[in-house]
Amino acid sequence: MNDRLLITDLDNTLYDWVTFFALAFDAMVEALVPLLDIDRYQILAEFKTVHQTLGSSEHPYAVFELPSVKTQFPDASPKELADYLDEPLHRFNSVRKAELRLYPGVAETLAELARRGVVLVGHTEAAAVNAYYRIHKLGISQHFRHLYVLEGPPVRHPEPERQRELEPPDNVLRVVPPAERKPNPRLLADICTTEGVALSDAVYVGDSLGRDVYMAKLAGVTAVWARYGTAYEPERWRTLVQVTHWTQEDVAREARIRESTRGVTPDYTIDAFSELTAILGAGSVALR
Ligand SMILES: [Mg+2]
C-alpha cells in the first residue's frame, strides 16, 4: 500500500487560535490602558500601525514599538521597558496559557494516525517561531515529520536566550516561498513531492473554505473542511480585525479569493478532528 499523507493546517484546525489570541491580546490591552493612560481604541490603532510595519499581527513584543510607549518611556533601555511593561506582558502570557488548548481528540487522533503509518505534516502561514511554539507547547510536535511555514520576516524575541529556546529544530521546518501562499495549489504539489507521496494519497484538512479547501481541490488532494474551527465568538474576530497587519492590498486579495471560491465544496466536512481516522482509514483515500 502506498504511503498516505495528512497535511494539516494549524490555526483553528488543531486549536482555536482566534479565541486564545484575541483573549490574550485583550487582556494585554486592558492592562495597558491605565499604564499608558490612553483609551483602548487608540492602543488598538497603534498596534495596527506597528503590526503593519512588522508585517505580522502576532508579535506580542510589538508593544515595545507602540508610539505611546515610546513617548512615555523615551530613554528606557530594553530591560527597563520590559520591566515597565511587565504587567501587560504577563497578562498576555497567562491568558494564553489558560486558553491555548487542542480541540477535543486532536492529540489522540494524531497519535493513532502516526501509529498506522500515516505521514503527518503541518502547514501554516503563521511565523515559524510562533507556530512551532504552539505545537511544542501542546505536546504534539513529535508527530510531525515536517512543519511547512511561509517565508517571511523573522519574529524574534528581544531576549537572545529566550530566542534560542523558542527556535524550532532545523530538521523540522520546511520554508515555503512567498508565492506559494494559500490558495496556490503549487504548494500542495511541492509538499507531496518533498514527502514522496502521490497527490491522490494525500489529505488536506483546514478550517478555511476559501483558502484550505479551495486549494486542496485545485491541487487534486482530498479536501477536508474542519467546520468546527469556524465556531468561535464573532466578537473575538472583531478584536483581531482591529489590530490586523493586513494592508488594503491584502484586503482586496481576500475579496478576490472569496469571489473566486464561491460554491467550493469539500470532499468531507468534519465536526471533530477524530473523524479523520475514518477518512484516512483502510485503502486508498482516492477511493471515496
Ligand atoms: Mg486555519
Side-chain angles (χ1 to χ4, degrees), residues 9 11-13 182 207 212:
D9 171 55
D11 292 350
N12 284 71
T13 298
K182 298 174 184 182
D207 61 294
D212 301 323

Side-chain angles (χ1 to χ4, degrees), residues 182-200:
K182 298 174 184 182
N184 184 348
R186 175 89 220 153
L187 166 80
L188 297 186
D190 285 351
I191 291 179
C192 286
T193 303
T194 304
E195 303 302 336
V197 173
L199 285 161
S200 56

Side-chain angles (χ1 to χ4, degrees), residues 81-247:
L81 261 190
D83 287 344
Y84 290 131
L85 298 171
D86 184 61
E87 178 60 17
L89 291 170
H90 174 74
R91 292 287 294 142
F92 182 93
N93 286 330
S94 66
V95 174
R96 175 175 62 182
K97 191 171 176 208
E99 298 291 337
L100 173 58
R101 62 186 94 89
L102 294 169
Y103 285 118
V106 169
E108 298 80 352
T109 304
L110 290 173
E112 173 62 14
L113 293 173
R115 197 187 61 76
R116 293 188 188 186
V118 175
V119 176
L120 302 171
V121 303
H123 168 246
T124 184
E125 294 186 351
V129 165
N130 294 329
Y132 186 76
Y133 170 86
R134 293 198 272 272
I135 61 169
H136 182 66
K137 198 86 186 157
L138 291 165
I140 54 170
S141 57
Q142 73 279 12
H143 297 309
F144 292 101
R145 183 193 273 179
H146 292 125
L147 176 59
Y148 288 83
V149 297
L150 196 64
E151 191 182 329
V155 172
R156 303 196 67 80
H157 196 282
E159 297 159 33
E161 214 160 274
R162 192 82 175 97
Q163 173 67 27
R164 271 193 298 281
E165 286 168 25
L166 293 170
E167 210 67 66
D170 278 348
N171 53 355
V172 172
L173 285 192
R174 291 288 175 276
V175 177
V176 171
E180 296 190 6
R181 275 179 74 181
K182 298 174 184 182
N184 184 348
R186 175 89 220 153
L187 166 80
L188 297 186
D190 285 351
I191 291 179
C192 286
T193 303
T194 304
E195 303 302 336
V197 173
L199 285 161
S200 56
D201 289 321
V203 173
Y204 191 98
V205 59
D207 61 294
S208 166
L209 277 177
R211 296 167 171 274
D212 301 323
V213 171
Y214 181 60
M215 172 173 70
K217 296 291 282 185
L218 287 179
V221 160
T222 299
V224 181
W225 180 35
R227 178 164 58 188
Y228 58 86
T230 61
Y232 45 78
E233 296 285 330
E235 182 55 29
R236 307 285 167 256
W237 184 251
R238 282 197 284 275
T239 299
L240 298 181
V241 169
Q242 283 173 298
V243 296
T244 182
H245 65 286
W246 281 13
T247 60

Side-chain angles (χ1 to χ4, degrees), residues 251-280:
V251 174
R253 177 176 183 270
E254 189 63 18
R256 285 197 301 276
I257 290 174
R258 253 202 315 274
E259 197 51 44
S260 62
T261 58
R262 254 178 228 283
V264 53
T265 312
D267 296 309
Y268 298 93
T269 296
I270 60 172
D271 290 307
F273 194 80
S274 57
E275 291 177 49
L276 286 165
T277 312
I279 294 169
L280 281 143

